[in-house]
């Protein structure tokens, strides 16, 4: 990863966050909670940009339709997040597999 890639990544992230800041307050609060949750759970494909961008797209459509954020997601935001990443591998799973693999080797 070169310096140009880093600069371009920062530009994209700032543009993304500008879109988030343009959302109504209730949407922003829920977005930040989703973001924290996803950063904590750590799906591998989180940083390719499509997951968080897709959430903002979804939220912008909800705002345009005049819906509240909980009308879109339901009352359980964590369940919504889990459903989003149900088919994604997480860093926690990879770590657990590495531990299980290493402990299996030590027992032999």
């Amino acid at each position: 990863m070169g310096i140009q890639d880093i600069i371009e990544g920062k530009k994209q992230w700032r543009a993304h966050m500008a879109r988030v800041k343009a959302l109504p307050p209730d949407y922003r609060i829920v977005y930040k909670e989703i973001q924290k949750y996803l950063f904590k759970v750590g799906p591998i494909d989180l940083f390719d940009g499509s997951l968080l961008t897709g959430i903002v797209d979804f939220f912008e459509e909800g705002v345009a339709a005049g819906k509240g954020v909980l009308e879109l997601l339901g009352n359980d935001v964590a369940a919504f997040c889990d459903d989003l990443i149900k088919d994604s591998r997480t860093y926690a799973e990879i770590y657990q597999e590495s531990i299980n693999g290493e402990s299996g080797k030590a027992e032999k």
Side-chain angles (χ1 to χ4, degrees):
M1 176 181 275
I3 191 79
Q4 274 311 108
D5 295 332
I6 293 170
I7 291 170
E8 186 59 34
K10 282 188 174 189
K11 286 180 184 176
Q12 290 173 356
W13 182 252
R14 286 185 182 131
H16 173 79
M17 291 310 294
R19 288 178 63 200
V20 171
K21 288 179 183 176
L23 293 169
D26 56 337
Y27 279 85
R28 278 195 312 261
I29 291 167
V30 172
Y31 175 85
K32 296 232 183 229
E33 291 303 314
I34 289 172
Q35 185 182 42
K36 277 196 287 190
Y37 184 84
L38 292 176
F39 284 173
K40 188 179 222 178
V41 173
I44 293 172
D45 56 354
L46 178 63
F47 295 105
D48 73 358
S50 62
L51 182 60
L52 293 175
T53 300
I55 292 169
V56 174
D57 293 341
F58 181 58
F59 280 8
E60 287 172 341
E61 290 171 14
V63 170
K67 294 184 177 183
V69 68
L70 295 181
E71 286 180 76
L72 296 175
L73 308 182
N75 290 327
D76 191 347
V77 176
F80 173 80
C81 292
D82 288 338
D83 194 43
L84 279 177
I85 62 171
K86 68 182 174 202
D87 297 327
S88 299
R89 289 184 45 126
T90 63
Y91 289 110
E93 290 171 342
I94 293 172
Y95 178 71
Q96 189 62 43
E97 289 169 5
S98 73
I99 290 174
N100 292 341
E102 289 178 18
S103 67
K105 290 177 187 176
E107 293 173 9
K108 290 183 181 180

